[in-house]
Amino acid sequence: MNVGIMLTNGSKRKSLARTYSVSYKDQYEPIGKHTEKGIDFCEKYCHFIKERCQIELEYAQKLKRLVKNYQPKKKEEDELQFSVVKGFLQSINELFDLAGQHEVIAENLQTSIYKECRALIEEIKIERKKCLNEGAKQQKQLQSSISQLENAKKIYEKAFKEAERAQEGYKRADADMNLARAEVEKSKHFAMAKSQQCEESKNEYASQLQKTNEHQHQHYGVLMPQIFQQLQDMDEKRITQQSDFIKRSAEVERSVIPIINTCLDGIVKASESINSQEDSRIVIERHKSGFQHPGDIAFDDLSNGNDNQVNANTVQRTPTDNRSTKGGTWAAGKGTKRGKLFGLFSSSKGDPNKEDFSNLPPNQQKKKLNQKIDNFKQLIAKDTAERDGMVKMRDVYVQNPALGDPSSLDKQLEENAQKLDSLKQEMQKYETYLATAEGKFTPPTAQRTNNRTGRNSLSSEDSSSITRSASDISCSTQGTPSIKHNNQIKEGGDASPVPATDRKSRADSFDDSFDDLDDADYLPVIGKAKALYSFEANSDGAISMMEGEDLDIVEQDQGDGWTRARKHDGSEGFIPTSYVQYC
């Protein structure tokens, strides 16, 4: 009976222990899965930071590329004078700086958050693996202890049944009067041996049960709670770190907000610097032609028989060109389309072959010439400073030959002198253009008069050459009045500039030689020309002409922009070469 009671109590304990173990084991797996999901979520956040860095970098690069594409080209430098263009350039420059702040955001997110997040993930993975391995080890030890308990119980149950059968056999033998006493004693010793064996199995089972219970209490009460506490601390650490990452990502962006606000303030300031009235003034100043208003058109009285004639004395056209006005501004030749943002105002582009800018209106021509002269002055000042430096260096070499050879600078000084002479001649040429445009240049009548004896007539070859060249040119009016420096009438002609000393000698000898002009023989006619524009002579030696008037050319342009012509009334003098067209 006692053995049966113990067996029954032992079965109940085993049943309770196995239920608790299974229940706990069911909770152990979800906890492991939860920590795994936590690591996956941390990796997901890490990928989010990485993709955001890429987006910030791409956005910054595209903004910078956009700013670069809308920077003004070299041919659009003239439009930088307008305040609206300056304001726009300032705004996109601020936008360029703003794009740089997005690069800062990407860099800070990459270095301070993404790398730390990756390190945290690796650390958590290692710690989780360690905890799970320890938990699996404890689970295995507990299962081994339970298996030993079950084996001890099976042995005890088998011994108990054998003891019961031996005890029943002994009772039957003792009650049987036919059996010998020796058989009864044998049955008794067998029953006692089985009872002893059953008692030993019982004690072994009880001992194993006690060990298993102690192991189970240690497992669930101490070992596994420690493992789960480590997993909990690990998971809380991950959550805390992710919270810190989110907060720091906001701080990274907040740190550049003051600079971004400064860029935005710069854009607003650039917009406030735009002045529409100033831009209009620049447009007016740039495109102001300086032409005089045309005179009144005379009434053509058909009753007087002048059906096909117009009074040329009353109708004079102001020299103009064939350029049409587009949008209130001059547009040279064919209108060109500009796809860029800076084509706000059309610009008059002159013929690049006309170095005196005679294709431009008078005011614009003077501005261009003044700009050219200023450029030459700057170049001359620069080369002069270089020459002074080389001269001082040569003096130092002369005083102290150990420092260098003075003759080594001779070639450089010679090249510098040639360059200076060339620049001065070019500047003098443009000063002549400017004086002509301002009406201050005197036609070179005296010099040519003095030289009439040497070239009283052109050779037949030159005459035929100029006639052929003139015949190739149509009589259509193209271009505005200009004083050409180079001889563009006769192909292959001498295009050398007129030296300043030559001009001075002409002016000095003019008064002495012009009185003999009437007594000299007439120059032979070398060509015909037609006046493209009216010209009013305002200096000695020049003659006036009307638009459309036919003229005889008696002396070609010598490179100074003046041609000698004779009118039908016999008057002779100099006229601007660019005002006539050879026929």
Side-chain angles (χ1 to χ4, degrees), residues 18 76 87 178 330 336 417 534 570:
R18 292 180 67 182
E76 298 170 335
N178 297 324
W330 290 98
T336 57
S534 297

Side-chain angles (χ1 to χ4, degrees), residues 43-54:
E43 288 182 339
K44 184 178 180 180
Y45 177 77
C46 193
H47 289 313
F48 166 78
I49 294 297
K50 182 179 180 180
E51 291 183 7
R52 183 184 175 186
C53 291
Q54 293 176 351

Side-chain angles (χ1 to χ4, degrees), residues 222-239:
V222 179
L223 299 177
M224 291 306 296
Q226 290 179 353
I227 294 173
F228 278 104
Q229 185 63 42
Q230 293 176 2
L231 290 173
Q232 181 180 349
D233 294 342
M234 177 196 72
D235 199 51
E236 289 179 355
K237 178 182 178 181
R238 172 189 63 80
I239 296 173

